[in-house]
Amino acid sequence: MRIVLLPGDGIGAEVVAAAARVLRELPLELELEERLFGGAAIRESGNPLPPETLAACRGADAVLLGAVGLPELDRDEVRPEHGLIRLRGELDVYANLRPARGHGVDLLVVRELVGGLYYGERGTRADGTVFDTMEYRPAQVERIARRAFEIARGRRGQVTSVDKANILATSRLWRGVVERVAPGYPDVELAHMLVDNCGLQLVLAPGQFDVLLTENTFGDILSDVAAGLTGGLGLAGSASLGDGRPGIFEPVHGSAPDIAGRGIANPAAMLRSAALMLRHGLDEPAEAERLEAAVDAALLSAPTPDLGGNATTVEYVDAVVSALGA
Ligand code: NAI
Ligand code: MG
């Protein structure tokens, strides 16, 4: 199985190195191949997603991605984040799964990933007005809704579809399509919730949620909130899936310039993303479970500073490797 590693920027490179080391410990035939992406690729070639990188990703069984973003490129026209948005679109990984578990919470954000506000037309008018636009085609909503219902069947059978249907036309389309899809899944219970209330409910009573089905931007924001409820960004992994291979597997967090280069990033989010890769991307559920158990054990024995401990990234990975061998 061929896996393309995209370390990217900041702590992205640190956590991808951790994942590569752990993956090599597993009894699987994995071919790991590293490619330039993000700010690192801009420096090399002026392009955050060079054609060789995209071609390698297309030919892979899975893509494991760290994070992108460099503060010194923040004002530039070409930005590392554009590479990420393009890669997701090119591979058409429309379903972003972001689990959050712990502290009485066990929910899954199913976020539409290749449409909506992040992919709409944007521009600047002569008078200086700048605009972003949000568009959804019915088919785009339908495929993500079906994914959410299918996944809910294997969980507690509850889908909460999040929108802003009291204001936005795209949200009214969203709600209508979800309503149309729902009868095909009579074993799943559907509720609708406005996104602002959903933010409140996540903070006040997150235990009520099973699957949260959301538009791209809403899901980006709400999944960070969900991560905050369950131990922070250092723990939150994600899977981005299309209809076939490869999926993209990446932590929810970014390049964390505030701690980059200090060797203290928590690689658990990246390792949980690697476990999601084993389960959803490579069809190796037993190894996924083994890795998840080792990640959990190491969180107790060698917590990093974001969790109140003092283990370094390498010490935490040592603990994961030893838990895998135990
Ligand atoms: P961030 O997620 O990088 O960091 C937010 C806070 O969480 C920081 O205090 C950071 O130190 C902490 N944190 C994040 N991951 C951690 C880990 N694994 N271990 C310990 N602490 C961790 O978000 P921020 O600061 O808003 O963005 C930084 C850069 O990352 C920006 O350039 C942004 O565009 C980019 N970004 C990239 C993403 C991606 O590649 N998927 C996602 C989010 C942001
Ligand atoms: Mg985000």
Side-chain angles (χ1 to χ4, degrees):
M1 292 177 281
R2 275 189 56 211
I3 300 170
V4 168
L5 305 176
L6 303 178
D9 308 313
I11 67 164
E14 301 168 34
V15 298
V16 165
R21 183 175 155 214
V22 169
L23 287 171
R24 289 196 176 97
E25 295 288 327
L26 303 179
L28 298 172
E29 299 261 321
L30 303 178
E31 204 180 296
L32 308 180
E33 153 187 354
E34 197 173 305
R35 295 282 169 164
L36 273 177
F37 184 60
I42 292 178
R43 285 203 180 115
E44 197 89 359
S45 69
N47 181 350
L49 178 60
E52 315 80 72
T53 297
L54 179 58
C57 290
R58 281 193 198 287
D61 291 298
V63 176
L64 202 59
L65 190 149
V68 295
L70 286 175
E72 61 265 37
L73 297 177
D74 268 359
R75 288 158 172 280
D76 290 17
E77 192 82 354
V78 180
R79 302 191 47 193
E81 290 83 352
H82 298 151
L84 181 57
I85 295 291
R86 229 194 105 209
L87 179 66
R88 289 169 175 167
E90 292 280 352
L91 299 182
D92 201 24
V93 288
Y94 60 87
N96 183 217
L97 314 186
R98 298 188 157 188
R101 204 171 291 136
H103 303 279
V105 178
D106 182 3
L107 63 83
L108 177 73
V109 177
V110 177
R111 165 191 173 198
E112 201 291 326
L113 197 61
V114 297
L117 195 54
Y118 293 179
Y119 285 83
E121 201 181 312
R122 64 188 94 235
T124 306
R125 296 203 188 90
D127 69 353
T129 306
V130 174
F131 60 92
D132 295 288
T133 58
M134 175 136 115
E135 271 184 45
Y136 268 110
R137 279 177 286 113
Q140 270 180 311
V141 180
E142 183 175 336
R143 64 181 185 173
I144 189 69
R146 290 197 181 283
R147 259 300 162 87
F149 280 104
E150 273 153 28
I151 293 169
R153 278 186 162 158
R155 295 177 48 100
R156 301 197 303 283
Q158 268 176 263
V159 169
T160 306
S161 176
V162 179
D163 62 39
K164 189 72 182 172
N166 52 341
I167 310 274
L168 299 175
T170 44
S171 281
R172 284 194 290 277
L173 168 75
W174 183 278
R175 201 177 270 221
V177 173
V178 172
E179 287 282 342
R180 217 171 57 233
V181 165
Y185 305 84
D187 46 335
V188 177
E189 199 184 311
L190 170 66
H192 300 282
M193 193 175 277
L194 296 174
V195 62
D196 37 0
N197 183 33
C198 185
L200 176 75
Q201 295 301 323
L202 269 175
V203 173
L204 292 182
Q208 69 185 288
F209 296 116
D210 180 19
V211 172
L212 282 173
L213 165 62
T214 81
E215 181 270 337
N216 199 343
T217 310
F218 298 159
D220 190 6
I221 297 165
L222 295 177
S223 57
D224 269 40
V225 177
L229 294 169
T230 53
L233 285 174
L235 299 179
S238 88
S240 305
L241 308 172
D243 286 324
R245 289 184 184 184
I248 304 175
F249 303 86
E250 53 169 318
V252 169
H253 64 72
S255 57
D258 55 337
I259 59 164
R262 291 168 51 196
I264 56 165
N266 186 349
M270 180 81 253
L271 294 174
R272 283 182 167 167
S273 306
L276 291 172
M277 172 182 81
L278 294 169
R279 179 175 295 114
H280 297 287
L282 299 175
D283 216 12
E284 294 286 350
E287 287 304 310
E289 235 160 82
R290 231 162 57 82
L291 176 53
E292 279 163 353
V295 165
D296 288 349
L299 287 174
L300 296 176
S301 63
T304 43
D306 55 307
L307 300 178
N310 55 18
T312 63
T313 307
V314 169
E315 285 164 352
Y316 175 82
V317 177
D318 288 341
V320 172
V321 169
S322 93
L324 275 174

